[in-house]
Amino acid sequence: MSRSKPIPPVPAGPVRPGPGTALRPVVAGDITGGFWHGRREVNARVGIPQGPQLLESAGNLLNLRLAARTARGTFQGDYPFMDSDVYKWLEAASWQLGAAGTPGDAALLAEVDRITALVTEAQQADGYLNTWFQVAKDGRRYEDLRWGHELYCAGHLIQAAVAHHRSTGGKELLAVAVRFADHMDSVFGPEKQIDGFDGHPEVETALVELYRETGERRYLDLAGYFVERHGHGLLGGEAYCQDRVPLRVQENVEGHAVRQLYLLAGAADLAAETGDAGLLAACERLWAAMVATKTHLTGGLGAHHDEEDFGDPYELPNERAYCETCAAVASVHFSWRMALLTGEARYSDLVERTLFNGFLAGVSLDGERWLYVNPLQVRDGHTDTGGDQSARRTRWFRCACCPPNVMRLLASLEHYIASTDAHGLQIHQYATGRYTGDMAGDPLVVSAHTDFPWSGTARFTVQEGPTDRPWTLSLRVPQWCTDYRVHVAGREAAVSAEARWLRLERMWAPGDEVTLELAMAPQLVEADPRVDAVRGCVAIERGPLVYCLESVDNPGCGLDDIVIDAARPLTEETRPELLGGLVTVAARGYRRGIADRGWWPYRRPADPADPAGTAVLRTGPEDKAAALTAVPYYAWANRRDGAMRVWIPTR
Ligand code: FUB
Ligand code: ZN
């Protein structure tokens, strides 16, 4: 494949909203260096290329051949959504083909073409496509909307097709997606064969994007129909599949976390296209309630292993935290749409926190092993049951939804960094690269150079833009940052953040430079006191990174016995040789000497006036001072198995 890469006239990434949003994605983005470039390089070199072989050995590709009747055998895998892994991989590979570093990757393009052909052959004449129902269920379609995942898979197919079309100009996969969408449109609707929706949302956001790609209004209407049919008991009324209550009146997020978040992403897309204020208000309300009451420090979402769902407000366990990697991906999708819709910085704060912590922990540093669940603690003496929900990294899963989800987000990450509007360009995330906005037809090109998250300094250079009128470069001040300085052309600029956006409105010329310095000393944070699981504990953060203790760095006693001395300062150390290069944080604390309690572990408090020992750090004669070493959470579980904890007791 030989392609030049002219600047596309419209945003080339996963979300291309119409005129109804406050902000628009940049028309082109390119991460050229620094932290995220490193993670994306591993994804491009190791993560994505291993996909076809893994999909072959797990049977996903054979299922397509069986559906096409070009092979003989029985359905492979345990789940009706095996096809979705193929589609997510196709989406990841397509974004990768569109990324600036990889045009002309002939081997990857050949794999995409080969697998696209398998998908095309498996599709039925009327547009239907789901290998589970075609092969294992004798073609009995739509008999189990609650669990069948047919439209969920269709959603992933559509997103792959849009990515393929936007990145490569290829129309084959888009044609498959359009045929399936037309089929769905002929079957689903109030007056049609089936009045219902899929128990796993995903098709809603995908159909809106297909509308954006093709201009076909029926897809937007179908997405709207699906969103509105949730919550009326059509699938039995369970929160699990978002059927207990309509989104418009729902008070807090509930049920299966990934399902909830994909549905909200679709609702935000709909609000963007239709201007539906009620739907936007529901999205804002649910996002705020989720963040205030159901979000782990890492941005992880989903408290329960049982049903992979949200817990009650403030029910945020550590060692049993579910925090599925897919939920982190879905959260980024939802929050980014909300950032574009409203222009508010808080949505990009959550994107940042999730990307650097709850999301990135999902893939090993070498790109070969994965976590499906992302706990905040693994106890000393942990017995791991293995399997998909293991707290140990795994090569692939029986339910392999998370790995290709990580691949597709990393491969499209450049589209989540910056946005543009009629006034200029906004930087949401700090990543070395080049971002091209479109200010009412005028290209704006700004490059960024930063060592973030290791340092809080980012330098921006105007590369291109109108010189005959002022425009605004906006920089987000992250939620964790309380102190910052800005220099424009080497001179300190007196600028204060409004709603955490620094607005630099100037007559800019190519070559103009802005330097932002965000103070990012390590700090301790505590949780809302209603989070019982971590009462009396603190966690270490530095900039956007949440830190954790791992037993490999803290030998000599179990992590369950460690107490941090919160009054002592934290210090940091740059460790280029450790885990790909990172900054560690050191704290002082104690290894708690536990007095013998006899056979019964419970007893009356030593001080009835202060039963939990909350007043001061108490050290007993048997306690030993300890130096504690913390590493970024995203890097945990990349060495030998052991204990880990994010939240550390203070007494
Ligand atoms: O049901 C499809 C996917 O499998 C969900 O999104 C994940 O939570 C896992 O259950
Ligand atoms: Zn998953």
Side-chain angles (χ1 to χ4, degrees):
M1 183 183 69
S2 78
R3 283 181 301 131
S4 61
K5 279 190 64 85
I7 292 171
V10 287
V15 190
R16 187 187 287 171
T21 53
L23 309 175
R24 292 175 58 71
V26 287
V27 292
D30 182 9
I31 297 175
T32 55
F35 182 86
W36 286 115
H37 185 258
R39 305 319 312 147
R40 279 157 57 85
E41 188 276 326
V42 172
N43 191 46
R45 179 171 47 80
V46 180
I48 293 174
Q50 69 193 328
Q53 186 262 319
L54 290 164
L55 293 168
E56 195 65 81
S57 45
N60 310 63
L61 299 183
L62 177 63
N63 290 340
L64 289 165
R65 294 189 196 98
L66 295 176
R69 299 185 197 282
T70 56
R72 293 164 75 89
T74 52
F75 186 86
Q76 303 292 300
D78 300 321
Y79 297 101
F81 49 87
M82 296 293 282
D83 299 352
S84 63
D85 302 339
V86 179
Y87 303 146
K88 276 189 263 187
W89 181 84
L90 279 171
E91 184 187 339
S94 297
W95 293 130
Q96 192 58 49
L97 286 169
T102 45
D105 185 334
L108 185 59
L109 187 60
E111 285 297 72
V112 167
D113 287 348
R114 180 175 74 85
I115 294 174
T116 297
L118 294 180
V119 171
T120 309
E121 284 162 18
Q123 187 170 37
Q124 298 197 313
D126 65 354
Y128 180 87
L129 173 51
N130 183 288
T131 65
W132 166 262
F133 285 93
Q134 287 168 242
V135 177
K137 291 284 173 181
D138 300 326
R140 296 193 308 274
R141 321 164 166 183
Y142 305 130
E143 64 172 17
D144 181 7
L145 285 177
R146 181 188 172 279
W147 180 244
H149 287 80
E150 286 143 301
L151 307 190
Y152 164 82
C153 290
H156 281 300
L157 168 65
I158 291 169
Q159 289 181 330
V162 168
H164 189 243
H165 190 234
R166 287 183 185 165
S167 284
T168 70
K171 293 193 168 32
E172 306 80 357
L173 202 55
L174 190 64
V176 177
V178 161
R179 280 197 293 273
F180 202 167
D182 289 342
H183 160 76
M184 283 187 278
D185 186 43
S186 73
V187 171
F188 287 91
E191 311 289 317
K192 299 184 186 164
Q193 189 186 325
I194 304 175
D195 182 17
F197 59 91
D198 196 288
H200 197 314
E202 164 64 16
V203 75
E204 298 79 3
T205 182
L207 280 167
V208 177
E209 213 56 46
L210 188 63
Y211 156 71
R212 291 167 173 162
E213 191 64 6
T214 62
E216 177 53 73
R217 174 84 202 190
R218 284 183 296 118
Y219 305 146
L220 181 67
D221 294 340
L222 186 58
Y225 161 75
F226 284 140
V227 167
E228 300 295 349
R229 293 309 276 144
H230 281 84
H232 300 282
L234 284 180
L235 298 190
E238 293 166 89
Y240 175 72
C241 47
Q242 313 305 321
D243 195 30
R244 191 188 66 81
V245 62
L247 212 54
R248 287 179 189 276
V249 293
Q250 193 178 329
E251 291 297 332
N252 204 336
V253 291
E254 64 180 33
H256 185 274
V258 183
R259 284 167 163 81
Q260 174 73 90
L261 289 157
Y262 281 161
L263 181 62
L264 285 165
D269 281 326
L270 268 172
E273 297 310 318
T274 61
D276 186 326
L279 213 46
L280 173 58
C283 290
E284 290 178 317
R285 181 177 67 246
L286 290 167
W287 188 93
M290 173 181 87
V291 173
T293 67
K294 300 197 180 185
T295 302
H296 285 86
L297 185 67
T298 54
L301 294 163
H304 295 165
H305 280 237
D306 186 29
E307 301 221 313
E308 309 186 303
D309 63 358
F310 286 106
D312 289 334
Y314 308 106
E315 184 192 358
L316 294 165
N318 290 314
E319 64 272 58
R320 293 289 292 163
Y322 199 66
C323 297
E324 182 181 341
T325 303
C326 281
V329 173
S331 168
V332 170
H333 287 180
F334 174 40
S335 291
W336 178 236
R337 284 159 174 78
M338 294 303 289
L340 295 173
L341 257 166
T342 64
E344 289 177 29
R346 59 184 176 148
Y347 297 111
S348 295
D349 284 331
L350 187 64
V351 170
E352 179 187 80
R353 178 171 291 276
T354 306
L355 284 175
F356 276 109
N357 303 289
F359 163 73
L360 194 54
V363 56
S364 62
L365 295 175
D366 63 11
E368 288 186 355
R369 289 169 307 130
W370 312 89
L371 286 173
Y372 184 130
V373 301
N374 294 279
L376 278 73
Q377 179 179 12
V378 176
R379 288 188 175 276
D380 299 319
H382 169 70
T383 303
D384 203 90
T385 49
D388 288 1
Q389 278 78 29
S390 170
R392 308 296 181 209
R393 293 190 183 278
T394 307
R395 185 82 178 90
W396 202 244
F397 302 110
R398 240 165 33 101
C399 172
C401 48
C402 299
N405 230 348
V406 172
M407 293 177 199
R408 70 180 180 141
L409 183 52
L410 280 174
S412 56
L413 194 65
E414 70 272 34
H415 301 290
Y416 295 84
I417 307 294
S419 65
T420 184
D421 68 1
H423 309 288
L425 192 100
Q426 303 82 36
I427 301 291
H428 296 250
Q429 306 299 337
Y430 295 105
T432 294
R434 191 180 156 93
Y435 308 100
T436 303
D438 170 13
M439 191 176 70
D442 279 322
L444 298 178
V445 185
V446 171
S447 62
H449 193 270
T450 179
D451 197 20
F452 197 81
W454 310 126
S455 115
T457 302
R459 200 179 69 242
F460 301 91
T461 309
V462 174
Q463 304 289 348
E464 203 181 320
T467 50
D468 58 348
R469 60 204 154 95
W471 55 273
T472 305
L473 176 64
S474 302
L475 307 174
R476 180 178 62 90
V477 177
Q479 160 274 331
W480 47 263
C481 178
T482 49
D483 189 18
Y484 55 84
R485 291 198 309 166
V486 186
H487 286 79
V488 178
R491 302 177 65 161
E492 183 150 8
V495 52
S496 57
E498 332 145 13
R500 285 192 302 95
W501 281 110
L502 290 167
R503 309 276 186 201
L504 303 170
E505 187 187 9
R506 297 268 190 300
M507 299 283 286
W508 297 102
D512 282 354
E513 276 195 6
V514 174
T515 304
L516 171 68
E517 289 167 70
L518 302 167
M520 56 157 62
Q523 54 194 5
L524 297 177
V525 293
E526 60 177 14
D528 185 297
R530 286 166 287 191
V531 184
D532 296 77
V534 300
R535 193 173 297 127
C537 293
V538 291
I540 298 171
E541 289 187 348
R542 181 178 179 276
L545 297 174
V546 173
Y547 277 69
C548 66
L549 303 177
E550 279 198 282
S551 47
V552 59
D553 300 307
N554 296 280
C557 78
L559 292 188
D560 294 353
D561 295 330
I562 277 178
V563 176
I564 191 170
D565 185 344
R568 302 279 293 272
L570 301 171
T571 55
E572 60 185 57
E573 186 183 357
T574 300
R575 299 278 302 274
E577 82 299 349
L578 185 64
L579 294 164
L582 45 71
V583 173
T584 57
V585 174
R588 300 299 304 175
Y590 294 89
R591 293 169 183 158
R592 193 164 37 198
I594 308 279
D596 182 11
R597 292 182 168 224
W599 64 271
W600 180 241
Y602 305 95
R603 63 182 181 187
R604 283 184 295 282
D607 179 356
D610 182 20
T614 53
V616 289
L617 173 73
R618 295 165 188 285
T619 59
E622 20 354 40
D623 294 349
K624 292 195 180 67
L628 309 180
T629 301
V631 295
Y633 174 76
Y634 78 79
W636 88 277
N638 278 283
R639 292 169 288 176
R640 57 176 181 269
D641 291 346
M644 179 276 290
R645 68 185 308 149
V646 168
W647 291 101
I648 314 167
T650 55
R651 46 245 171 192

